[in-house]
Short mmCIF file of all heavy atoms in Angstrom, two decimals:
data_model
loop_
_atom_site.label_atom_id
_atom_site.label_comp_id
_atom_site.label_asym_id
_atom_site.label_seq_id
_atom_site.Cartn_x
_atom_site.Cartn_y
_atom_site.Cartn_z
N ARG A 113 90.27 118.17 97.82
CA ARG A 113 89.67 117.18 98.71
C ARG A 113 88.19 116.98 98.37
O ARG A 113 87.70 115.84 98.31
CB ARG A 113 89.84 117.62 100.16
CG ARG A 113 89.27 116.66 101.18
CD ARG A 113 90.09 115.40 101.27
NE ARG A 113 89.63 114.55 102.35
CZ ARG A 113 89.47 113.23 102.25
NH1 ARG A 113 89.73 112.61 101.13
NH2 ARG A 113 89.05 112.53 103.29
N ALA A 114 87.49 118.09 98.14
CA ALA A 114 86.07 118.01 97.81
C ALA A 114 85.85 117.29 96.49
O ALA A 114 84.82 116.62 96.30
CB ALA A 114 85.46 119.41 97.75
N ALA A 115 86.81 117.37 95.57
CA ALA A 115 86.69 116.70 94.27
C ALA A 115 86.93 115.20 94.38
O ALA A 115 86.58 114.46 93.45
CB ALA A 115 87.66 117.32 93.27
N GLY A 116 87.53 114.76 95.51
CA GLY A 116 87.73 113.32 95.70
C GLY A 116 89.15 112.88 95.95
O GLY A 116 89.43 111.67 95.96
N LEU A 117 90.06 113.80 96.19
CA LEU A 117 91.46 113.43 96.43
C LEU A 117 91.59 112.68 97.76
O LEU A 117 91.04 113.11 98.78
CB LEU A 117 92.33 114.69 96.46
CG LEU A 117 93.84 114.45 96.55
CD1 LEU A 117 94.35 113.78 95.28
CD2 LEU A 117 94.58 115.77 96.79
N ASP A 118 92.35 111.56 97.73
CA ASP A 118 92.53 110.73 98.92
C ASP A 118 93.88 110.91 99.60
O ASP A 118 93.99 110.79 100.81
CB ASP A 118 92.41 109.24 98.56
CG ASP A 118 91.06 108.87 98.01
OD1 ASP A 118 90.05 109.17 98.66
OD2 ASP A 118 91.02 108.29 96.90
N LYS A 119 94.92 111.16 98.78
CA LYS A 119 96.28 111.16 99.31
C LYS A 119 97.11 112.25 98.64
O LYS A 119 96.86 112.61 97.49
CB LYS A 119 96.95 109.79 99.07
CG LYS A 119 96.23 108.62 99.72
CD LYS A 119 96.90 107.30 99.37
CE LYS A 119 96.15 106.12 100.00
NZ LYS A 119 96.77 104.82 99.66
N ILE A 120 98.10 112.74 99.38
CA ILE A 120 99.00 113.77 98.85
C ILE A 120 100.44 113.36 99.12
O ILE A 120 100.78 112.93 100.22
CB ILE A 120 98.76 115.14 99.53
CG1 ILE A 120 97.31 115.60 99.36
CG2 ILE A 120 99.70 116.19 98.96
CD1 ILE A 120 97.00 116.82 100.17
N ASN A 121 101.29 113.52 98.10
CA ASN A 121 102.73 113.42 98.28
C ASN A 121 103.32 114.80 98.03
O ASN A 121 103.15 115.37 96.95
CB ASN A 121 103.35 112.43 97.29
CG ASN A 121 103.12 110.99 97.70
OD1 ASN A 121 102.19 110.70 98.46
ND2 ASN A 121 103.93 110.09 97.18
N VAL A 122 103.99 115.33 99.03
CA VAL A 122 104.60 116.67 98.94
C VAL A 122 106.10 116.51 98.73
O VAL A 122 106.77 115.82 99.52
CB VAL A 122 104.32 117.47 100.23
CG1 VAL A 122 105.09 118.78 100.22
CG2 VAL A 122 102.83 117.73 100.38
N SER A 123 106.62 117.14 97.71
CA SER A 123 108.06 117.12 97.46
C SER A 123 108.72 118.20 98.31
O SER A 123 108.43 119.39 98.15
CB SER A 123 108.35 117.39 95.98
OG SER A 123 107.78 116.37 95.18
N LEU A 124 109.57 117.79 99.23
CA LEU A 124 110.25 118.73 100.13
C LEU A 124 111.66 118.21 100.35
O LEU A 124 111.86 117.25 101.09
CB LEU A 124 109.50 118.84 101.46
CG LEU A 124 110.03 119.90 102.41
CD1 LEU A 124 109.51 121.28 102.02
CD2 LEU A 124 109.60 119.59 103.85
N ASP A 125 112.65 118.83 99.72
CA ASP A 125 114.00 118.27 99.71
C ASP A 125 114.87 118.73 100.87
O ASP A 125 116.00 118.27 101.01
CB ASP A 125 114.68 118.59 98.38
CG ASP A 125 114.01 117.85 97.22
OD1 ASP A 125 113.68 116.66 97.40
OD2 ASP A 125 113.80 118.45 96.17
N SER A 126 114.36 119.62 101.70
CA SER A 126 115.05 120.00 102.92
C SER A 126 114.07 120.69 103.86
O SER A 126 113.11 121.33 103.42
CB SER A 126 116.22 120.94 102.63
OG SER A 126 116.85 121.35 103.84
N PHE A 127 114.30 120.56 105.17
CA PHE A 127 113.51 121.28 106.17
C PHE A 127 114.14 122.63 106.51
O PHE A 127 113.61 123.36 107.34
CB PHE A 127 113.40 120.44 107.45
CG PHE A 127 112.59 119.18 107.25
CD1 PHE A 127 113.20 118.00 106.92
CD2 PHE A 127 111.22 119.20 107.40
CE1 PHE A 127 112.47 116.83 106.73
CE2 PHE A 127 110.47 118.06 107.22
CZ PHE A 127 111.09 116.87 106.88
N ARG A 128 115.25 122.93 105.88
CA ARG A 128 115.98 124.17 106.17
C ARG A 128 115.85 125.11 104.98
O ARG A 128 116.16 124.75 103.84
CB ARG A 128 117.43 123.85 106.48
CG ARG A 128 117.53 122.80 107.57
CD ARG A 128 118.86 122.69 108.21
NE ARG A 128 118.84 121.67 109.26
CZ ARG A 128 119.71 121.60 110.25
NH1 ARG A 128 120.66 122.51 110.36
NH2 ARG A 128 119.62 120.64 111.15
N ALA A 129 115.38 126.33 105.27
CA ALA A 129 115.00 127.26 104.20
C ALA A 129 116.15 127.55 103.25
O ALA A 129 115.95 127.64 102.03
CB ALA A 129 114.47 128.55 104.81
N ASP A 130 117.37 127.71 103.78
CA ASP A 130 118.50 128.06 102.91
C ASP A 130 118.87 126.91 101.98
O ASP A 130 119.14 127.11 100.79
CB ASP A 130 119.70 128.49 103.74
CG ASP A 130 120.16 127.43 104.73
OD1 ASP A 130 119.32 126.61 105.17
OD2 ASP A 130 121.36 127.42 105.07
N VAL A 131 118.84 125.69 102.50
CA VAL A 131 119.15 124.51 101.68
C VAL A 131 118.04 124.29 100.66
O VAL A 131 118.30 124.01 99.48
CB VAL A 131 119.34 123.27 102.56
CG1 VAL A 131 119.59 122.03 101.69
CG2 VAL A 131 120.50 123.48 103.53
N PHE A 132 116.80 124.41 101.11
CA PHE A 132 115.66 124.27 100.20
C PHE A 132 115.77 125.24 99.02
O PHE A 132 115.55 124.87 97.86
CB PHE A 132 114.36 124.51 100.97
CG PHE A 132 113.11 124.34 100.16
CD1 PHE A 132 112.47 123.11 100.09
CD2 PHE A 132 112.57 125.40 99.45
CE1 PHE A 132 111.32 122.94 99.34
CE2 PHE A 132 111.42 125.25 98.70
CZ PHE A 132 110.78 124.02 98.65
N ARG A 133 116.14 126.46 99.32
CA ARG A 133 116.26 127.47 98.26
C ARG A 133 117.38 127.12 97.28
O ARG A 133 117.23 127.28 96.07
CB ARG A 133 116.51 128.85 98.88
CG ARG A 133 116.53 129.99 97.86
CD ARG A 133 116.59 131.34 98.54
NE ARG A 133 117.77 131.47 99.40
CZ ARG A 133 117.73 131.47 100.73
NH1 ARG A 133 116.59 131.34 101.38
NH2 ARG A 133 118.86 131.60 101.42
N ARG A 134 118.50 126.62 97.79
CA ARG A 134 119.60 126.24 96.89
C ARG A 134 119.21 125.08 95.99
O ARG A 134 119.60 125.03 94.82
CB ARG A 134 120.84 125.86 97.71
CG ARG A 134 121.49 127.03 98.41
CD ARG A 134 122.97 126.76 98.67
NE ARG A 134 123.20 125.55 99.44
CZ ARG A 134 123.21 125.50 100.78
NH1 ARG A 134 122.96 126.60 101.48
NH2 ARG A 134 123.46 124.36 101.40
N ILE A 135 118.43 124.15 96.50
CA ILE A 135 118.05 122.97 95.71
C ILE A 135 116.96 123.30 94.69
O ILE A 135 117.02 122.86 93.54
CB ILE A 135 117.58 121.83 96.63
CG1 ILE A 135 118.74 121.34 97.50
CG2 ILE A 135 117.02 120.66 95.80
CD1 ILE A 135 118.33 120.31 98.55
N THR A 136 115.97 124.08 95.10
CA THR A 136 114.76 124.27 94.28
C THR A 136 114.69 125.62 93.56
O THR A 136 113.88 125.78 92.64
CB THR A 136 113.49 124.16 95.14
OG1 THR A 136 113.45 125.26 96.05
CG2 THR A 136 113.47 122.85 95.91
N GLY A 137 115.49 126.59 94.00
CA GLY A 137 115.37 127.93 93.43
C GLY A 137 114.21 128.72 93.99
O GLY A 137 113.89 129.79 93.48
N LYS A 138 113.55 128.21 95.03
CA LYS A 138 112.38 128.87 95.62
C LYS A 138 112.58 129.09 97.12
O LYS A 138 113.22 128.29 97.80
CB LYS A 138 111.12 128.02 95.40
CG LYS A 138 110.69 127.90 93.95
CD LYS A 138 110.14 129.21 93.43
CE LYS A 138 109.64 129.08 92.00
NZ LYS A 138 109.03 130.33 91.51
N ASN A 139 111.96 130.15 97.62
CA ASN A 139 112.05 130.48 99.04
C ASN A 139 110.73 130.17 99.73
O ASN A 139 110.13 131.03 100.37
CB ASN A 139 112.41 131.96 99.21
CG ASN A 139 112.80 132.31 100.63
OD1 ASN A 139 113.30 131.46 101.37
ND2 ASN A 139 112.55 133.54 101.03
N GLU A 140 110.27 128.91 99.61
CA GLU A 140 108.92 128.56 100.07
C GLU A 140 108.90 127.45 101.12
O GLU A 140 107.85 126.91 101.43
CB GLU A 140 108.06 128.15 98.87
CG GLU A 140 107.87 129.28 97.87
CD GLU A 140 106.92 128.93 96.74
OE1 GLU A 140 106.41 127.79 96.74
OE2 GLU A 140 106.69 129.78 95.89
N CYS A 141 110.05 127.11 101.66
CA CYS A 141 110.11 125.99 102.61
C CYS A 141 109.18 126.20 103.80
O CYS A 141 108.38 125.32 104.15
CB CYS A 141 111.54 125.81 103.08
SG CYS A 141 111.79 124.45 104.24
N ASP A 142 109.28 127.36 104.43
CA ASP A 142 108.48 127.61 105.64
C ASP A 142 106.98 127.61 105.34
O ASP A 142 106.17 127.12 106.14
CB ASP A 142 108.90 128.93 106.28
CG ASP A 142 110.30 128.88 106.86
OD1 ASP A 142 110.81 127.77 107.10
OD2 ASP A 142 110.90 129.96 107.06
N THR A 143 106.61 128.16 104.18
CA THR A 143 105.20 128.18 103.79
C THR A 143 104.66 126.77 103.60
O THR A 143 103.55 126.44 104.05
CB THR A 143 105.01 128.99 102.50
OG1 THR A 143 105.44 130.33 102.72
CG2 THR A 143 103.55 129.00 102.07
N ILE A 144 105.45 125.93 102.95
CA ILE A 144 105.01 124.55 102.70
C ILE A 144 104.85 123.80 104.02
O ILE A 144 103.85 123.10 104.24
CB ILE A 144 106.01 123.83 101.77
CG1 ILE A 144 105.97 124.45 100.38
CG2 ILE A 144 105.71 122.33 101.71
CD1 ILE A 144 107.11 124.00 99.48
N LEU A 145 105.82 123.95 104.90
CA LEU A 145 105.72 123.27 106.20
C LEU A 145 104.51 123.76 106.98
O LEU A 145 103.82 122.96 107.64
CB LEU A 145 107.00 123.50 107.00
CG LEU A 145 108.25 122.76 106.49
CD1 LEU A 145 109.49 123.23 107.23
CD2 LEU A 145 108.08 121.25 106.63
#
Side-chain angles (χ1 to χ4, degrees):
R113 181 71 174 136
L117 187 67
D118 298 307
K119 300 177 181 179
I120 303 172
N121 283 23
V122 173
S123 298
L124 186 81
D125 292 318
S126 177
F127 293 93
R128 307 197 179 200
D130 58 333
V131 177
F132 182 91
R133 185 172 58 252
R134 290 205 304 273
I135 295 173
T136 67
K138 293 289 183 177
N139 192 28
E140 298 185 359
C141 181
D142 292 340
T143 299
I144 293 168
L145 289 171

